């Protein structure tokens, strides 16, 4: 077998050498097992940290597995899968996924682990791992614990062992947290990266504590000066640091986000607080009880050597109050992340403008050392255009040629098997309850009956725990199946419309058809604001924009103007006929006033004249006169987004004469 990266899995010099555990021997070993009655066995090993791979974690497990398998001549080890640095509380791991693929390919019939805690560190993770292996077509055995034969006995044994594993896991976590608490109380550093401005003295040794980092302390003092000085935003402060050549601890450029986090560190607050309940953002926040107090111990203030004087700290905190912002941005879904390419060649990512609450896509080069300056895209509009294009592409294909959502049949089969498992557990729980009722209803009570009642009650509690884990996983499988059903229904519709799906479901179909988006208008200038009054009048009334006036039409328009305005209205150097043509040109093409060609006159003067005609009611008469003799076109307002070039793998290939290279875009341009 191979590891997830594709390289053969090494067993180590003192582990399982000599057992033919390579990928090229797996099919041969399985064929031999089928002929001789032997069982194809794969080892699964997991360690929580990468340091355990070559020291004692993986070699110890491998040695125990080899010795256990050698005692059973009808077993033949055909491969191994490893998960290095994977937590046992998570059911989804790359090595486990590869093992399930091997089982589905019928190369493995039994999975051997050293201890049950290698499958997981919680009851839910262990049960889910076992059920995934069983549904793929294999069974699990342990070197240290005997799991028993399939049936009620095996379920009860696994439940007991799984509870012991989780209890041991919680006991270790409690001891670890208690040790960290005691170390913090004594003034030491309890672990994790040090606050900005400090470093760990005696790292890795007993009694490690924090001390001032001279290089970072200079940055802290500079930041304090800039913050107290005032008049700057977080983005301005980040730019000031970058312009001075100052980089973050990781060598990256400063941004408003990482600077905001650094300004909340111990150097600027005057103290380091362990287990603070008031900062619950990020992946390493303090776990709280239901009443809001820290779960594993009380809050501890750790004394630190001061970088800033006390008065400077107070002044800095007062200035930071004006800069602080509440972290309340909701988690957003951006189905086009990585699928839009900017003019600089980089891809766009999702970004929320927190002040306006607007979802956008912005170029990933926005925060580079040399910003590209690519424009931002309104997320709703870009997603609507891509959804429209994908829907049209799907509708152009017969249903037999349309793509299908991935993993339909295996997921449906797994759901069916797990439903049967849940139904079987429910029957066992109900049967156990009936037997309990019969025993409790007997008139004659004895110690034998009392012992039987206690035994049945223990079995019922165990089965109820197992059933709860099974129902939890069934809910997840059902939700995934419902999602697959919605995707399938859209793909099978006569007129597919993916806009009826959620953004996460749209992402699945967008990835399925390999949609790509490029900005087709390199000269577009990004603008946000209100539409001009003339555009809004055309949109509100539905009045089309007439064609350019002919000589006869202009003569009639001029008579109309002279009947409404005095002579001074016509003494301007502005050519009124050219100005009117420019007004119509702008409305038809949706350009900005500043982009109006010079042949129509000065943009500011043309804009002022059109505004005057609209306010006096003359513009309505001019448009009505011109539309009476020709077919007009809808007004095209200048939206705050450029034209997009959208393509998918479903689109017909462009003619060879139009191909200019492998990256040439032949778009369906949508404005």
């Amino acid at each position: 077998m191979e590891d997830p990266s594709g390289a053969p899995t090494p067993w180590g010099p003192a582990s399982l050498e000599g057992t033919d555990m390579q990928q090229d021997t797996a099919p041969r070993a399985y064929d031999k097992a089928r002929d001789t009655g032997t069982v194809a066995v794969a080892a699964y090993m997991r360690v929580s940290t990468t340091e355990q791979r070559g020291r004692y974690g993986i070699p110890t497990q491998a040695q125990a597995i080899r010795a256990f398998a050698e005692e059973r001549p009808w077993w033949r080890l055909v491969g191994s899968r490893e998960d290095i640095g994977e937590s046992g509380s998570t059911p989804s791991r790359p090595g486990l996924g590869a093992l399930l693929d091997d089982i589905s390919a019928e190369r493995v019939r039994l999975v051997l682990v050293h201890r049950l805690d290698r499958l997981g560190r919680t009851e839910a993770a262990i049960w889910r791992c076992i059920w995934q292996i069983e549904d793929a077509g294999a069974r699990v055995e342990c070197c240290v614990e005997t799991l028993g034969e399939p049936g009620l006995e095996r379920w009860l044994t696994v439940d007991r062992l799984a509870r012991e594993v989780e209890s041991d896991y919680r006991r270790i976590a409690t001891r670890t947290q208690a040790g960290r608490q005691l170390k913090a109380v004594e003034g030491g550093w309890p672990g994790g990266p040090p606050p900005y401005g400090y470093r760990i003295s005696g790292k890795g040794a007993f009694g490690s504590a924090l001390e001032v980092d001279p290089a970072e302390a200079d940055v802290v003092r500079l930041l304090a000066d800039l913050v107290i000085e005032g008049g700057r935003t977080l983005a301005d402060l980040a730019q000031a640091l970058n312009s001075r050549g100052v980089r973050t601890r990781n060598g990256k450029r400063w941004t408003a986000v990482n600077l905001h986090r650094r300004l909340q560190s111990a150097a600027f607050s005057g103290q380091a607080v362990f287990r603070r309940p008031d900062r619950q953002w990020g992946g390493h926040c303090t776990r709280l009880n239901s009443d809001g107090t820290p779960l594993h111990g009380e809050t501890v203030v750790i004394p630190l050597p001061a970088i800033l004087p006390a008065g400077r700290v107070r002044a800095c905190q007062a200035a930071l109050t004006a800069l602080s912002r509440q972290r309340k941005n909701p988690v957003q879904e951006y189905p086009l992340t990585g699928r839009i390419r900017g003019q600089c060649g980089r891809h766009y990512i999702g970004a929320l403008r927190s002040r306006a609450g607007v979802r956008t896509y912005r170029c990933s080069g926005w925060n580079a050392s040399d910003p590209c300056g690519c424009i931002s895209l309104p997320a709703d509009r870009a997603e609507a255009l891509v959804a429209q294009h994908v829907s049209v592409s799907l509708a152009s294909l017969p249903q037999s040629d349309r793509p299908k959502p991935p993993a339909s049949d295996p997921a449906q089969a797994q759901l069916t098997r797990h439903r049967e498992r849940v139904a079987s557990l429910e029957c066992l729980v109900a049967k156990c309850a009936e037997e309990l009722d019969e025993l409790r209803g007997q008139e004659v009570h004895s110690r034998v009956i009392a012992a039987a009642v206690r035994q049945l009650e223990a079995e019922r509690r165990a089965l109820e725990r197992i059933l709860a884990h099974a129902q939890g996983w069934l809910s997840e499988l059902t939700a995934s199946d419902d999602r697959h059903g919605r995707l399938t229904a859209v793909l099978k519709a006569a007129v597919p419309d993916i806009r009826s799906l959620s953004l996460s479901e749209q992402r699945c179909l967008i990835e399925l058809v390999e949609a790509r988006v490029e900005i087709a208008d390199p000269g577009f200038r990004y603008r946000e604001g209100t539409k001009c009054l003339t555009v809004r009048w055309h949109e509100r009334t539905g009045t089309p924009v007439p064609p350019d006036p002919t000589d006869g039409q202009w003569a009639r328009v001029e008579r109309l103007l002279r009947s409404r305005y005095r002579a001074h209205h016509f003494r301007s150097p502005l050519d009124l006929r050219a100005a009117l043509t420019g007004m119509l040109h702008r409305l038809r093409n949706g350009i900005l006033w500043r982009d109006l060609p010079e042949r129509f006159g000065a943009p500011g003067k043309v804009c002022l004249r059109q505004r005057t005609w609209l306010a006096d009611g003359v513009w309505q008469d001019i448009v009505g006169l011109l539309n009476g003799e020709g077919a007009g076109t809808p007004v095209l307002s200048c939206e705050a987004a450029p034209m997009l070039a959208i393509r998918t793998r479903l689109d017909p290939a462009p003619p060879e004469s139009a191909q200019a290279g492998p990256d040439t875009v032949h778009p369906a341009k949508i404005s």
Side-chain angles (χ1 to χ4, degrees):
M1 293 185 186
E2 300 175 354
D3 63 11
S5 63
T9 303
W11 286 92
S15 54
L16 289 170
E17 288 185 348
T19 55
D20 295 334
M21 299 285 289
Q22 284 74 30
Q23 168 69 28
D24 55 349
T25 64
R28 176 177 56 82
Y30 174 68
D31 293 339
K32 184 176 180 180
R34 184 171 54 188
D35 297 337
T36 62
T38 58
V39 179
V41 180
Y44 176 71
M45 298 174 288
R46 182 191 62 81
V47 289
S48 301
T49 61
T50 55
E51 290 80 3
Q52 293 175 298
R53 178 173 188 172
R55 294 183 180 180
Y56 53 86
I58 293 297
T60 299
Q61 296 178 47
Q63 184 177 3
I65 289 174
R66 183 186 63 175
F68 188 80
E70 287 176 349
E71 296 176 357
R72 291 155 179 77
W74 61 93
W75 284 6
R76 182 175 180 81
L77 290 171
V78 296
S80 70
R81 292 293 181 181
E82 300 176 1
D83 274 315
I84 309 298
E86 294 289 337
S87 172
S89 59
T90 56
S92 178
R93 309 166 210 147
L96 178 60
L99 177 63
L100 295 176
D101 293 338
D102 295 332
I103 298 172
S104 300
E106 298 186 351
R107 292 194 291 266
V108 175
R109 283 292 174 265
L110 187 144
V111 176
L112 186 59
V113 294
H114 180 210
R115 302 180 67 92
L116 200 64
D117 59 3
R118 297 305 89 195
L119 296 178
R121 296 294 280 171
T122 63
E123 292 184 54
I126 291 174
W127 278 114
R128 184 172 302 188
C129 188
I130 291 176
W131 290 332
Q132 285 178 315
I133 292 173
E134 290 178 350
D135 291 344
R139 75 176 191 273
V140 178
E141 293 295 341
C142 278
C143 298
V144 179
E145 302 101 348
T146 301
L147 302 183
E149 294 299 324
L152 178 60
E153 177 186 356
R154 185 180 181 90
W155 275 349
L156 296 177
T157 302
V158 174
D159 172 73
R160 175 178 57 81
L161 295 175
R163 284 190 293 126
E164 292 176 359
V165 168
E166 182 165 349
S167 177
D168 183 58
Y169 173 67
R170 295 187 182 279
R171 202 161 40 243
I172 293 174
T174 302
R175 288 200 300 265
T176 302
Q177 295 296 339
R180 297 182 67 196
Q181 183 81 10
L182 179 61
K183 189 172 183 180
V185 170
E186 294 178 350
W189 183 242
Y196 191 81
Y198 296 91
R199 63 189 179 189
I200 301 177
S201 174
K203 185 176 183 180
F206 180 78
S208 59
L210 293 183
E211 63 180 8
V212 175
D213 186 310
E216 292 184 356
D218 292 338
V219 180
V220 169
R221 298 185 186 98
L222 173 60
L223 267 175
D225 293 339
L226 295 175
V227 170
I228 295 173
E229 182 181 323
R232 290 183 174 90
T233 63
L234 288 174
D236 295 335
L237 292 173
Q239 180 61 32
L241 293 177
N242 294 329
S243 63
R244 288 174 168 82
V246 179
R247 292 295 182 263
T248 66
R249 181 178 288 173
N250 296 330
K252 299 181 180 180
R253 289 172 57 86
W254 289 95
T255 64
V257 175
N258 59 33
L259 180 59
H260 178 263
R261 295 179 179 176
R262 299 294 82 77
L263 289 174
Q264 306 299 318
S265 67
F268 296 94
S269 61
Q271 60 185 10
V273 181
F274 179 56
R275 304 197 196 284
R276 35 183 329 164
D278 57 335
R279 291 186 188 167
Q280 295 301 304
W281 51 265
H284 301 283
C285 57
T286 301
R287 297 183 62 183
L288 303 178
N289 289 310
S290 58
D291 58 356
T293 59
L295 176 63
H296 295 293
E298 297 180 355
T299 301
V300 180
V301 177
I302 304 174
L304 297 176
I307 297 177
L308 300 173
R312 204 72 173 160
V313 169
R314 289 192 296 270
C316 189
Q317 289 178 336
L320 284 174
T321 303
L323 286 174
S324 62
R325 57 183 176 86
Q326 186 179 1
R327 298 180 60 87
K328 57 182 180 180
N329 297 345
V331 177
Q332 300 285 345
E333 179 73 27
Y334 294 92
L336 298 181
T337 291
R339 299 194 168 272
I340 305 175
R341 189 169 65 177
Q343 297 298 319
C344 66
R346 297 185 179 96
H347 288 91
Y348 274 58
I349 59 176
L352 179 70
R353 293 181 182 172
S354 56
R355 291 184 178 179
V358 178
R359 296 170 56 254
T360 63
Y361 289 96
R362 71 181 181 190
C363 183
S364 55
W366 173 81
N367 198 31
S369 56
D370 183 17
C372 58
C374 291
I375 59 177
S376 299
L377 299 177
D380 292 339
R381 178 179 181 275
E383 291 161 2
L385 294 179
V386 173
Q388 177 185 353
H389 182 84
V390 172
S391 299
V392 172
S393 299
L394 291 172
S396 64
L397 298 174
Q399 291 188 3
S400 58
D401 295 340
R402 294 175 186 174
K404 297 180 180 179
S408 55
D409 295 338
Q412 185 64 39
Q414 186 180 50
L415 177 61
T416 302
R417 287 192 293 267
H418 193 62
R419 280 176 175 164
E420 295 174 355
R421 179 181 292 116
V422 171
S424 177
L425 283 168
E426 290 174 342
C427 290
L428 285 175
V429 171
K431 183 178 179 181
C432 191
E434 291 177 1
E435 294 179 357
L436 275 172
D437 292 339
E438 291 179 2
L439 288 175
R440 289 169 178 165
Q442 293 185 9
E443 297 180 357
V444 180
H445 297 280
S446 65
R447 288 190 297 176
V448 175
I449 294 178
V453 168
R454 289 194 297 270
Q455 178 66 26
L456 280 175
E457 287 178 343
E459 291 182 2
R460 186 185 65 176
R461 289 193 296 269
L463 291 173
E464 287 175 346
R465 283 193 300 270
I466 301 172
L467 178 60
H469 294 309
Q471 289 173 337
W473 192 34
L474 179 63
S475 299
E476 296 182 20
L477 293 176
T478 303
S480 178
D481 184 66
D482 292 342
R483 180 173 180 268
H484 181 271
R486 289 191 295 271
L487 295 177
T488 303
V490 169
L491 291 172
K492 290 184 177 180
V495 182
D497 186 3
I498 73 171
R499 289 172 294 184
S500 61
L501 302 172
S502 66
L503 290 179
S504 61
E505 293 167 347
Q506 289 184 29
R507 176 196 288 272
C508 181
L509 290 186
I510 289 173
E511 293 176 351
L512 197 62
V513 301
E514 300 175 7
R516 292 291 183 269
V517 183
E518 293 194 3
I519 298 176
D521 185 5
F524 178 84
R525 299 180 185 180
Y526 184 72
R527 178 186 70 124
E528 285 183 333
T530 58
K531 301 175 183 178
C532 80
L533 296 175
T534 309
V535 172
R536 292 162 64 182
W537 178 82
H538 276 274
E539 291 181 342
R540 185 176 67 254
T541 61
T543 304
V545 180
D548 294 341
T550 61
D551 293 340
Q553 289 175 331
W554 170 246
R556 297 174 59 187
V557 170
E558 188 175 16
R559 288 196 297 270
L560 173 64
L561 293 174
R562 290 188 180 276
S563 67
R564 301 291 297 272
Y565 295 103
R566 301 191 179 195
H568 72 273
H569 191 79
F570 305 92
R571 293 174 187 163
S572 170
L574 186 66
D575 184 342
L576 292 183
R577 180 174 181 177
L580 174 60
T581 306
M583 299 173 194
L584 300 175
H585 173 79
R586 172 183 164 274
L587 293 173
R588 282 194 298 267
N589 295 277
I591 62 175
L592 301 176
W593 279 115
R594 61 172 176 256
D595 296 328
L596 189 69
E598 296 181 357
R599 67 179 183 272
F600 299 119
K605 294 182 179 180
V606 177
C607 175
L608 180 61
R609 192 57 57 93
Q610 186 185 54
R611 187 179 302 172
T612 300
W613 291 351
L614 181 68
D616 295 341
V618 176
W619 179 257
Q620 296 87 323
D621 296 337
I622 294 175
V623 171
L625 188 152
L626 298 179
N627 277 330
E629 301 182 13
T633 58
V635 64
L636 182 62
S637 62
C638 181
E639 300 289 347
M643 293 174 57
L644 300 179
I646 306 172
R647 63 178 179 180
T648 69
R649 67 179 179 86
L650 306 180
D651 299 333
E656 295 183 0
S657 59
Q659 294 181 356
D663 295 331
T664 301
V665 180
H666 304 275
K669 293 186 177 180
I670 305 177
S671 60

